[in-house]
Structures are given as C-alpha cells and as structure tokens.
Amino acid sequence: MSIKVVIKKSTYFDSVSLMSLSTKANQLPGVEQAVIAMGTEMNKEVLRNVGLLTAEVEEAKSSDLMIVVKAETEELCDKALAGIEELFSKKGETKGTSEIKYATIDSAAKSIPEANLAIISVNGAFAAREARKALENDLHVMLFSDNVSIEDEIALKKYAHEKGLLMMGPDCGTAIIGNVALCFGNAVRKGNIGIVAASGTGSQEVSVRIHDFGGGITQLIGTGGRDLSEQVGGIMMLDGIKALDEDEATKVIVLISKPPAPSVEEKVLAQVKQCKKPVVVYFIGGKEEAVAAAGGHFAKTSKEAALKAVVLAGANEDELNKRALNWPLIEEVRAKLTPEQKYIRGLFCGGTLCDEAMYSAMETFEDVYSNIQKNPDYKLKNLHESKAHTFLDMGDDDFTNGKPHPMIDPSLRIARFLQEAKDPSVGVIVMDFILGFGSHEDPVGVMLPAILEAKQLAEKEGRHLEILGYVMGTDLDTPKFEDQVNKLMAAGVTIASSSTNAGLLAREFVVKGA
C-alpha cells in the first residue's frame, strides 16, 4: 500500500467545500482512502488515528492545505492526485458572469451595501473573528463553523443582541430566510409559520412535515446547538422569538430543541408568555405542564409540532392526512422476527431524528444506549460496539471530528450498518435518508449495495432482518423524494412516513408478547 501527500502552503478552503471534495476524492478509481483537510492539529490527529500521518503532514501548518491519498500502488496514488487536482479545477470554475469573490468581509460589505447577512464557514480558530467583522458591518450572521469557544459564542451573541442583529450559530447548519434555504435545508413552500430551532435536522423535519400537511414557512431561524445551554442562556432563541413575534407574515411560531437547561427553559417559556402569537413548543423530553402554564402549545413529537402549527395557522384538521401507524404491518413484522431478535439499532445522520427515535424506545424499554444519551448509565462507553437497543447520532462530534458529516459522506454509516446486520440479536435497523440542499446527491443509492448484502446475509442464515427507512424530504427537493422511496422499497426496505413514525414503528416491531 502506498501513501502520497501534497501540502499546499497558505491555501485555504472552507470546511463545507473540503468535506465535499473529500467525498468525491474517496470515490476516485483505486483510492483506498483520501483526506483533504486544513493542517490543523485536530485534522493531524485524525490522520494519525487512521495511519496516514507522515513527516510531511506533521510539518503542515493550520493555514496549509493537506491532500493525503492511500492506494495500492504509487501509480494509483499519482492518478488519484491528478483526479483531485481536476476536482479543484472544476470547483474553481465560475458559474455564470455574476459570481464575484471577495477576500474579506469588509470588502464584500463595502461592495454590496444592500447585503444584510453573512454565512461564515471557516476554520473554527478564525470563525469568531470573522463573525465579529460581519456584525460590525451590520450583517446578520449564520456561523456554520464549529469548534468556537463558548466564551466567544456568548460575546458574539451579546454583541449581536445589542445591535439588533441575528447571530445564528456557531455550529448552525440550517436556516430558511426569505424562503431561501441556507446550508442544509429542504425546499418547502412559503407560508405563515415561523420556526426558531436549536436543532438542525429537527427544524428540517418540522418544516418538511408542515409542507406535507399543506402549510408553509416564513422564516426558519437556527440558533446553534449550545444556545439553550446554561452558559449561553438562550440569547438567540429569545431574540428569534421576538423577531418572529414582530414579523407581520408570521402567524404561528414553533420552537424546537433537544432538552434545554432547566433555567433556560424557564426564560424561554417566560418569553412565550409575552408573545402575541400562538407558540408551539417541541422540546424533546419536555413537560406539558410548564408549556401549558406559559400559554404555549406543547408538542411531544416533531409530527405533532407540525400538525399543531398548521392547525393553529388555519388548516382544517379533519381534512389532513395524519399518516397513522400501520398496525397490520407491525403485526406482520413481529411474526417474522425470532424471539432472539429483540433489539433496535438506529443509525442516524440527524441528531434530533436520533433523539426522537431513542425517546420513543425509552418509553417501552430500559436498556436503550446511545452516544447522545443524557443518562450516563446508558451512554455508550465504546462507540464501536452496540449494546441492547442502540441509537447512534453519526453526525455528532463523536463520529465527525475531522471527518465529513454522514449527510455528505456516508462511508462510516455503511460500515456500521453492515456490522449491525451481522448481529443475530438485531430485529430492526432504522436509518434516515436526508434530502435537500447540502445533502448527498443520492443518499439512498449509496446505501443500496450494503442493504442488499445485509438482506442476503440474513436470508442465508435463515433469519428475517427488518430494515426501516425514513426519507426526509419534500416533493420539491432534489433528488426526487418519490424516486428515493421507490429505490428503498424495491430493495425490501419498509418506509416510515415521518421521523415520529420511524421511532414508533422501530419500537413496536421488536415488542415481544404483545
């Protein structure tokens, strides 16, 4: 096996671009493994862990671009490096005549005085500095970068609050502003429902369900995952609620988060009490009494949040297809599984989708493990080994530290799926397939060979393996939602109609003696 390294001095590319290029580089002929990343210590550590750390890599600086290729022979490495250069060339081609590149935020703001928002995706070490520059230029900020200190996050959000600007992030991957999806998002119709969310895929799921129920979105404001922590105090969510309360086009507000810090939840609910508009609160694992006391509308699931929002926005509930659980299907699957096949394995790209399925399982089972479990007794100690019912958020830092998100590069999830499929105690494997802007161009297509392999293996061993898939997307998304669903069904995968139903179906499939 041969390893070749190219270091490009003082050459910067943003993390989103590098993730996409790494994914394409790994698909080049003959490539065993390819990594394209900035020369940060964190990325070097990743290369060390996978046996790709060379003397050249060790000498690279954080401002240098590293291209590392592993292949069977030197010749294949050379061909792969040539292919990667071609990928960079294609990326550099200008699309149309209106695209202009700026070296700094200051120069961009000066050249486009009507601009009011900056999306920042740079190395976390420089992200806070760039975000502050944008705020100083009176720009709202969507900060995609992670690895920003919590002290910097608090300072940026306080500064933005003082200036009446939105500071979405850090680690904010989803927003819809003025009917335009930013970073990861889905194509949904314009409507009268506004969302403030500390959860990327959670907000995508609720926006998709609102679209499915016939409603639409005014704005989707992301806050970043730490906003509702004790330290940050919900600064962005509170400002987001105020902004939507003052927005004439917004008639209903939906709040979405993983479990917030109790003191922050109190502050948010106090803000809800002041709102002039109905507010639906979907905090996973939250309590109905507290929300009701604040005059809000409690939602236990993402589907319920979307349903309540569209009804409050004017839809006739009796005319909506609520997509009830298919109980005859549940009975059919239960009959196919052996008594030993009693566990769920959830492999998710979306953190909130993972959380929702996990909480459904926890209502029935005690032995529910995860890398994102709040209960330390059930937090996985060894991420590479599942226990009992296991739900993995494969987009979490546990799995993405220095690596592409599984929504862009599914290779890690494919390997884990094949591992779980060999376990005879597994009854059902549940997975999400996320469509839309920023996602993989064919998330189902890349999983199909592994799904077929797993099905054949189970059949050879005389057992049924239930694979449950949820395709998160709308009829307006690319690739086509219907095509992705049909591909899964043709491979023998059962389809869930929502994130909520995916969790409920997985749980019910493995219930014994019901």
Side-chain angles (χ1 to χ4, degrees), residues 462-475:
R463 60 188 166 93
H464 172 76
L465 175 63
E466 186 66 25
I467 301 173
L468 176 63
Y470 168 53
V471 179
M472 189 179 82
T474 73
D475 56 330

Side-chain angles (χ1 to χ4, degrees), residues 82-141:
I84 290 170
E85 284 302 327
E86 199 173 326
L87 293 174
F88 275 104
S89 300
K90 284 181 183 172
K91 176 177 168 46
E93 289 173 0
T94 302
K95 296 175 184 175
T97 55
S98 60
E99 184 176 312
I100 302 172
K101 292 183 178 178
Y102 297 96
T104 66
I105 286 176
D106 287 337
S107 62
K110 192 175 177 183
S111 298
I112 319 172
E114 68 274 23
N116 64 2
L117 185 145
I119 301 173
I120 297 172
S121 173
V122 300
N123 185 299
F126 313 112
R129 182 188 69 192
E130 297 304 315
R132 179 164 284 275
K133 281 184 188 173
L135 293 170
E136 287 170 351
N137 279 287
D138 295 324
L139 298 169
H140 300 288
V141 171

Side-chain angles (χ1 to χ4, degrees), residues 326-336 509 514:
N326 184 343
W327 281 99
L329 169 69
I330 291 169
E331 295 298 338
E332 186 183 322
V333 173
R334 284 177 179 172
K336 290 178 182 175
F509 284 163

Side-chain angles (χ1 to χ4, degrees), residues 354-371:
C354 181
D355 240 345
E356 182 164 28
M358 181 175 71
Y359 270 81
S360 287
M362 287 163 61
E363 288 180 347
T364 301
F365 308 113
E366 286 186 2
D367 47 353
V368 179
Y369 293 82
S370 174
N371 60 319

Side-chain angles (χ1 to χ4, degrees), residues 21 31 34 50 176 211 262 310 332 342 398 470-471:
L21 286 166
V31 171
V50 296
I176 299 175
H211 179 93
V310 294
E332 186 183 322
K342 52 186 179 181
D398 290 335
Y470 168 53
V471 179

Side-chain angles (χ1 to χ4, degrees), residues 3-7 22 26 33-60 64-70 401-403:
I3 298 173
K4 284 212 169 184
V5 176
V6 172
I7 304 293
S22 281
N26 277 288
Q33 192 162 14
V35 176
I36 307 174
M38 299 305 296
T40 61
E41 290 307 313
M42 184 182 75
N43 288 333
K44 289 180 191 176
E45 184 61 29
V46 171
L47 289 168
R48 179 180 288 110
N49 291 338
V50 296
L52 294 178
L53 188 71
T54 66
E56 294 158 287
V57 168
E58 281 187 326
E59 289 178 7
D64 297 338
L65 179 69
M66 307 184 296
I67 304 173
V68 186
V69 173
K70 182 180 179 184
N401 200 347
K403 299 172 188 171

